[in-house]
Amino acid sequence: MDKYDKASQHIKDSLNTKNLAECLSQTGRFSYCALCATSLSCLYKYPAHVDFKLDCLRILCNHLRLMLQLPTMREMANCELPLDAKVYVRALKKEEVLKEGMMIIVQDLLLLAISNGIYDARWRVLIIYVTRVFDLDLSKVDNFELNVVNCLSNFLPVQTEQEQADAARRIRVSKTKRFAMIGFASVGGGILLGLTGGLAAPLIGAGLSSIIGTSIVGAIGTVGGTAIVGSLFGVAGASLTGYKMHKRVGDIEEFQFRKLSTDTETGDIHLHITIVISGWLNDDIETSYCQPWQYLRDSPEQYYLRYESSYLLEFGKAMEYFFSFAVSVAVQESLKYTVLSGLMAAIAWPAGILGLASVIDNPWGVCCRRSAQVGKQLAETLLSHSHGNRPVTLIGYSLGARVIYYCLREMSQREKSQGIVQDAILIGTPCTRNSSDWNKITEIVAGRVVNAYCRSDWFLKFLYRTLSMHANGVAGLQAVQSVSDRIENIDLTDIVSGHFEYPQKLTEILIHIGVNVDQSAKLQLITTQSMPEGMSEHLKINDNYPVKKSKSVIDLTIIDTKKNEAQ
């Protein structure tokens, strides 16, 4: 068995997939492609995605030997009326090769998605959508992605002395630094492409070709395969922790990514990454960034953005002082509000709180300006594909959500910015809720756009008291209207009573939104009876486990006591 046969056998054994172009009947192949076309019709209605849908269908039709059906599939994908995908699911379930389960289709789609070295976020959203249509557990997608990464990482053929000498010679004569980096490229220490002088990529390509057909991944099995596989994870390695700012935006002083531990044994890299962004700091230790996100498990490869720490710390200290003073003012003036939430209904702000405005307004203004600049810098980072060509999920609260907002707004003004961001989850966002601006963001994000807000956030309302945002309002205080229904507005008023509680209640918030968290965190919420009413459906715990609902949730009903006093 030569080295190409060994590579092929290794990938077959590792991934355990089938060549559906040969195994499915004519009806099965048509149903598979039609299911994807109807899914694309539901997911992407903006004109900006027309070319992607066509490319996607062209790849599918070529793979399934249905090129004559491409015009039909294109019409289905661009149809404005809702199409029923169940008929195609029923047809697929009759196929003999799919008796083992519909996950075979999902696996085939994923291999198609990465076959050219670019894992477009819209491909991943399509894969997740099809997985839901099949009523499969979404964790199976993550598991198969990990299998693909492990398969590409673990196979390294033994080199002969001549191959080692040839590899060393090629590195010495490299004319550019870029190709030298490709020669030495390693993805998290795993995919050692350069050590074989580019031979590893053709071996990988040979194996993938034997599974899903040479027409799709033939390019991987060529001399240029090294660059293609390197494109997926980034030429200089997959980790964002090595990112350096080459083009500084504004007067940013700090901008770097750090790895967020997931306490799992799944390796250092994944086909999908998550970047989280905090809103402020309470102290200057590194754990201040990590602590709110300690239970997040959205991806095996997660990062937090460390940015403008000194200013975030100054703002955090000002918040602490302001909040403690606001509580004493509320007591002294006998406002009779429910845990300060009644300030939302006040006709005028108490004089004591207004007198303290100078303490918070200056650091707030500085952080607002810098967070917008950091957002533009993040857009530059994503558009330069420093993370490779993989889907990215962005999650942030408070000023961190503002960073994401300005990142996406900047990307919406650039060309070729679709297919990078999979999901964007903004919590307590201090920015406008202007519908037109948010609708532009939905064109950039392939999957979910979440605006999570708190109606009783009196602190955020106070910060915006002098700004003329009455026409549109603040996104962190109320729902954002969307003509396309692409924006998910989630009211967090039953979980948090105000802005200060976002870091402490972040795990509950993520569960409520539908983001994966560690199982132990869910159990802890139950056993400590800290789960708000109505959240139990989001906790996928063993049904035999007793679910206790909290009876101590603060009533956040706003009472206009000013009117009562006037009477």
Side-chain angles (χ1 to χ4, degrees), residues 69 72 98 102 126 139 157 169 176 204 275 279 301 349 386 390 460 463 541 563:
Q69 301 293 337
T72 301
L98 299 178
M102 306 303 289
L126 171 63
S139 64
R169 179 180 56 80
T176 66
I204 292 169
I275 299 174
E301 186 179 353
W349 293 99
S386 300
R390 298 175 291 165
L460 192 57
L463 292 173
I541 306 293
K563 292 183 179 179

Short mmCIF file of all heavy atoms in Angstrom, two decimals, residues 69 72 98 102 126 139 157 169 176 204 275 279 301 349 386 390 460 463 541 563:
data_model
loop_
_atom_site.label_atom_id
_atom_site.label_comp_id
_atom_site.label_asym_id
_atom_site.label_seq_id
_atom_site.Cartn_x
_atom_site.Cartn_y
_atom_site.Cartn_z
N GLN A 69 -29.81 19.97 -13.70
CA GLN A 69 -30.87 20.45 -12.81
C GLN A 69 -30.52 21.78 -12.14
O GLN A 69 -31.31 22.29 -11.35
CB GLN A 69 -31.12 19.40 -11.71
CG GLN A 69 -31.53 18.03 -12.22
CD GLN A 69 -32.89 18.06 -12.89
OE1 GLN A 69 -33.70 18.94 -12.61
NE2 GLN A 69 -33.14 17.10 -13.78
N THR A 72 -33.12 24.61 -12.30
CA THR A 72 -34.26 24.34 -11.43
C THR A 72 -33.94 24.65 -9.98
O THR A 72 -34.74 25.26 -9.26
CB THR A 72 -34.69 22.87 -11.57
OG1 THR A 72 -35.02 22.60 -12.92
CG2 THR A 72 -35.89 22.56 -10.68
N LEU A 98 -29.10 5.63 3.60
CA LEU A 98 -29.42 6.51 4.71
C LEU A 98 -30.20 5.81 5.81
O LEU A 98 -30.68 6.48 6.74
CB LEU A 98 -30.22 7.72 4.20
CG LEU A 98 -29.49 8.61 3.18
CD1 LEU A 98 -30.40 9.75 2.71
CD2 LEU A 98 -28.20 9.17 3.76
N MET A 102 -29.58 10.09 9.03
CA MET A 102 -29.46 11.23 8.14
C MET A 102 -28.19 12.04 8.37
O MET A 102 -27.90 12.97 7.62
CB MET A 102 -30.68 12.15 8.31
CG MET A 102 -32.01 11.45 8.14
SD MET A 102 -32.17 10.62 6.55
CE MET A 102 -32.33 12.00 5.45
N LEU A 126 -26.20 26.80 6.86
CA LEU A 126 -26.97 25.84 6.06
C LEU A 126 -26.88 24.44 6.66
O LEU A 126 -27.90 23.73 6.77
CB LEU A 126 -26.46 25.83 4.62
CG LEU A 126 -27.02 24.73 3.70
CD1 LEU A 126 -28.53 24.91 3.52
CD2 LEU A 126 -26.31 24.73 2.35
N SER A 139 -25.06 18.97 18.45
CA SER A 139 -23.72 18.62 18.94
C SER A 139 -23.02 17.66 17.99
O SER A 139 -21.79 17.58 17.97
CB SER A 139 -23.80 18.01 20.34
OG SER A 139 -24.52 16.79 20.32
N PRO A 157 2.68 11.26 7.09
CA PRO A 157 3.43 10.14 6.56
C PRO A 157 4.91 10.23 6.91
O PRO A 157 5.46 11.31 7.08
CB PRO A 157 3.22 10.27 5.04
CG PRO A 157 2.92 11.71 4.83
CD PRO A 157 2.19 12.17 6.04
N ARG A 169 15.56 21.98 1.08
CA ARG A 169 16.02 22.80 -0.04
C ARG A 169 14.94 23.78 -0.48
O ARG A 169 15.23 24.95 -0.75
CB ARG A 169 16.40 21.89 -1.22
CG ARG A 169 16.88 22.66 -2.47
CD ARG A 169 17.24 21.69 -3.59
NE ARG A 169 16.12 20.83 -3.91
CZ ARG A 169 15.08 21.20 -4.67
NH1 ARG A 169 15.04 22.42 -5.17
NH2 ARG A 169 14.11 20.36 -4.93
N THR A 176 9.77 34.32 -1.01
CA THR A 176 9.00 35.27 -0.22
C THR A 176 8.77 34.72 1.17
O THR A 176 8.78 33.51 1.39
CB THR A 176 7.62 35.55 -0.85
OG1 THR A 176 6.85 34.36 -0.80
CG2 THR A 176 7.76 36.04 -2.27
N ILE A 204 -3.91 14.38 1.90
CA ILE A 204 -5.22 14.68 2.46
C ILE A 204 -6.24 14.77 1.34
O ILE A 204 -7.34 14.24 1.43
CB ILE A 204 -5.18 16.00 3.25
CG1 ILE A 204 -4.32 15.83 4.51
CG2 ILE A 204 -6.57 16.47 3.63
CD1 ILE A 204 -4.01 17.13 5.21
N ILE A 275 -15.53 34.51 19.58
CA ILE A 275 -14.82 35.63 20.21
C ILE A 275 -15.79 36.34 21.14
O ILE A 275 -16.88 36.74 20.72
CB ILE A 275 -14.29 36.62 19.16
CG1 ILE A 275 -13.29 35.93 18.22
CG2 ILE A 275 -13.62 37.82 19.83
CD1 ILE A 275 -12.83 36.80 17.07
N GLY A 279 -17.64 44.13 28.80
CA GLY A 279 -18.05 45.53 28.74
C GLY A 279 -17.28 46.47 29.64
O GLY A 279 -17.17 47.66 29.36
N GLU A 301 -12.86 26.20 20.40
CA GLU A 301 -11.83 27.22 20.23
C GLU A 301 -12.46 28.59 20.48
O GLU A 301 -13.17 29.14 19.63
CB GLU A 301 -11.23 27.16 18.82
CG GLU A 301 -10.06 28.11 18.62
CD GLU A 301 -9.46 28.02 17.23
OE1 GLU A 301 -9.85 27.12 16.46
OE2 GLU A 301 -8.60 28.86 16.90
N TRP A 349 -34.69 63.29 36.96
CA TRP A 349 -33.68 62.58 37.74
C TRP A 349 -33.45 63.30 39.07
O TRP A 349 -33.43 64.54 39.12
CB TRP A 349 -32.37 62.52 36.95
CG TRP A 349 -32.45 61.67 35.72
CD1 TRP A 349 -32.63 62.11 34.44
CD2 TRP A 349 -32.37 60.25 35.66
NE1 TRP A 349 -32.67 61.05 33.58
CE2 TRP A 349 -32.52 59.89 34.30
CE3 TRP A 349 -32.21 59.25 36.61
CZ2 TRP A 349 -32.50 58.57 33.88
CZ3 TRP A 349 -32.18 57.94 36.21
CH2 TRP A 349 -32.33 57.60 34.85
N SER A 386 -7.28 36.89 9.54
CA SER A 386 -6.19 36.48 10.44
C SER A 386 -6.51 35.16 11.13
O SER A 386 -5.61 34.46 11.58
CB SER A 386 -5.96 37.57 11.49
OG SER A 386 -5.60 38.79 10.89
N ARG A 390 -12.66 30.67 8.48
CA ARG A 390 -13.58 29.89 9.29
C ARG A 390 -14.68 30.79 9.85
O ARG A 390 -14.46 31.98 10.06
CB ARG A 390 -12.84 29.22 10.45
CG ARG A 390 -11.77 28.24 10.01
CD ARG A 390 -10.99 27.71 11.21
NE ARG A 390 -10.16 28.74 11.83
CZ ARG A 390 -9.62 28.62 13.04
NH1 ARG A 390 -9.86 27.55 13.77
NH2 ARG A 390 -8.85 29.59 13.52
N LEU A 460 -28.33 52.66 32.06
CA LEU A 460 -28.12 52.92 30.64
C LEU A 460 -28.96 54.12 30.19
O LEU A 460 -28.52 54.94 29.39
CB LEU A 460 -28.47 51.68 29.81
CG LEU A 460 -28.05 51.69 28.34
CD1 LEU A 460 -26.56 51.91 28.20
CD2 LEU A 460 -28.46 50.39 27.65
N LEU A 463 -27.18 57.26 31.31
CA LEU A 463 -26.01 57.60 30.50
C LEU A 463 -26.40 58.29 29.19
O LEU A 463 -25.64 59.10 28.66
CB LEU A 463 -25.21 56.32 30.20
CG LEU A 463 -24.51 55.68 31.39
CD1 LEU A 463 -23.90 54.33 31.00
CD2 LEU A 463 -23.43 56.59 31.96
N ILE A 541 -31.43 19.22 30.85
CA ILE A 541 -30.89 18.34 31.87
C ILE A 541 -31.68 17.04 31.84
O ILE A 541 -32.80 16.98 31.33
CB ILE A 541 -30.98 19.01 33.26
CG1 ILE A 541 -30.30 20.38 33.22
CG2 ILE A 541 -30.36 18.17 34.34
CD1 ILE A 541 -28.81 20.33 33.02
N LYS A 563 -46.06 60.47 40.39
CA LYS A 563 -47.46 60.81 40.20
C LYS A 563 -48.23 60.63 41.51
O LYS A 563 -49.11 61.42 41.85
CB LYS A 563 -48.07 59.93 39.10
CG LYS A 563 -47.54 60.23 37.71
CD LYS A 563 -48.24 59.38 36.67
CE LYS A 563 -47.72 59.70 35.27
NZ LYS A 563 -48.39 58.86 34.26
#
